[in-house]
């Protein structure tokens, strides 16, 4: 197939088409703007600032960079474990360049990252590496695809790989029976607090995001 003749990319993933990128960025900005003003958020500000009195502007706090995408496999040009094997999966070759409809089902915010959870369909899961969740000890028993997300922004000095780890952390808490504290019914959905600056907004209406399965080289 076409991939074998090329050197391995930095990563494979679904790249959101540009029309929906704007929509997702706007929704995320709206959410951060609203979260900022909630009393419940202010009560836990110390999670973000380290100081109780200090204010935080979440839109400034997180830096966004690059095209919005959902990484399937981080290959690091072949240096990452399992990179070559992933690129040889028949489905990866067959579906390279195809457009899928991703479902963004939740937004989450931590003191490190802001991201959107992606709920993958069975058809999309064929492109998901079997070990993505197993890399994280506390998440090893979560269903395949639990880590799927779109990074929307990172705090200063934080690498994007952190977004998926933050999502797994929240999902592992849920799996462990921690319900979180239902804070508010917002227009976008219900907002839950999981302690230590971890916020999850389950979207009332998931965002349908057309995205092209492809790869990225820098
Ligand atoms: P992200 O998927 O959370 O955004 C380039 O750095 C891309 O590969 C980013 O999109 C980044 O995170 C993802 N990435 C970097 N290191 C990774 C790793 N060790 N495991 C999984 N994804 C990684």
């Amino acid at each position: 197939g076409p991939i074998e003749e090329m050197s391995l990319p930095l990563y494979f993933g679904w790249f959101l088409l540009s029309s929906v990128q704007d929509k997702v960025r706007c929704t995320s900005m709206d959410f951060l703007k609203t979260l900022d003003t909630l009393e419940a958020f202010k009560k836990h500000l110390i999670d973000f600032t380290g100081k109780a009195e200090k204010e935080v502007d979440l839109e400034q706090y997180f830096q966004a960079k690059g095209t919005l995408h959902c990484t399937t496999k981080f290959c690091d040009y072949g240096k990452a474990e399992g990179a070559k094997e992933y690129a040889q999966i028949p489905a990866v070759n067959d579906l390279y360049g195809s457009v899928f409809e991703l479902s963004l089902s939740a937004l989450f915010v931590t003191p490190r990252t802001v991201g959107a959870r992606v709920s993958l369909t069975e058809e999309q899961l064929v492109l998901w590496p079997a070990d993505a969740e197993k890399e994280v000890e506390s998440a090893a028993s979560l269903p395949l695809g639990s880590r799927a997300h779109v990074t929307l922004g990172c705090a200063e000095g934080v690498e994007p790989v952190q977004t998926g780890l933050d999502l797994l952390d929240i999902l592992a808490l849920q799996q462990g029976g921690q319900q979180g504290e239902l804070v508010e019914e917002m227009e976008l959905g219900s907002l839950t607090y999981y302690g230590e600056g971890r916020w999850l907004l389950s979207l009332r209406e998931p965002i349908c995001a057309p995205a092209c399965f492809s790869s990225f080289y820098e």
Side-chain angles (χ1 to χ4, degrees):
I3 292 165
E4 280 133 306
E5 286 105 60
M6 302 192 290
S7 58
L8 291 170
L10 182 59
Y11 61 89
F12 287 92
W14 287 284
F15 294 79
L16 273 59
L17 303 190
S18 60
S19 53
V20 78
Q21 290 205 34
D22 294 339
K23 181 185 157 74
V24 173
R25 284 210 181 85
C26 284
T27 307
S28 152
M29 284 296 181
D30 275 355
F31 172 49
L32 293 180
K33 226 180 264 175
T34 310
L35 185 60
D36 243 351
T37 64
L38 297 180
E39 280 312 313
F41 182 78
K42 289 183 184 164
K43 203 169 83 186
H44 299 290
L45 251 187
I46 197 161
D47 298 335
F48 284 79
T49 59
K51 289 194 199 108
E53 308 300 317
K54 229 174 135 193
E55 301 233 330
V56 63
D57 178 349
L58 287 179
E59 283 175 278
Q60 305 277 312
Y61 183 90
F62 294 111
Q63 284 140 30
K65 45 191 160 186
T67 322
L68 296 184
H69 65 273
C70 174
T71 305
T72 52
K73 177 67 187 175
F74 179 69
C75 293
D76 200 10
Y77 306 110
K79 282 179 274 176
E81 205 183 310
K84 198 167 165 226
E85 291 75 7
Y86 180 82
Q88 286 169 350
I89 296 173
V92 170
N93 270 275
D94 296 345
L95 297 171
Y96 196 80
S98 307
V99 174
F100 293 74
E101 288 193 344
L102 297 184
S103 173
L104 312 190
S105 54
L107 300 178
F108 55 95
V109 173
T110 77
R112 299 163 297 278
T113 64
V114 53
R117 181 179 189 192
V118 178
S119 296
L120 298 174
T121 62
E122 290 296 321
E123 187 204 13
Q124 294 161 355
L125 278 170
V126 303
L127 295 170
W128 194 254
D131 58 355
E133 286 75 27
K134 299 197 168 52
E135 280 176 15
V136 181
E137 202 184 334
S138 60
S141 65
L142 286 170
L144 192 72
S146 295
R147 189 173 176 170
H149 68 280
V150 175
T151 297
L152 299 170
C154 294
E156 211 185 321
V158 174
E159 296 294 329
V161 63
Q162 186 61 45
T163 318
L165 304 179
D166 284 355
L167 174 59
L168 288 178
D169 176 46
I170 293 172
L171 297 180
L173 284 178
Q174 285 180 342
Q175 193 191 38
Q178 193 170 317
Q179 317 253 290
E181 174 192 340
L182 179 64
V183 169
E184 194 140 325
E185 290 297 337
M186 297 170 67
E187 214 175 290
L188 284 169
S190 39
L191 178 69
T192 308
Y193 181 61
Y194 288 93
E196 297 174 24
R198 297 169 291 194
W199 299 85
L200 181 80
L201 176 75
S202 295
L203 294 174
R204 209 173 298 289
E205 285 182 36
I207 300 172
C208 174
C212 181
F213 179 66
S214 180
S215 61
F216 182 87
Y217 297 77
E218 201 157 39

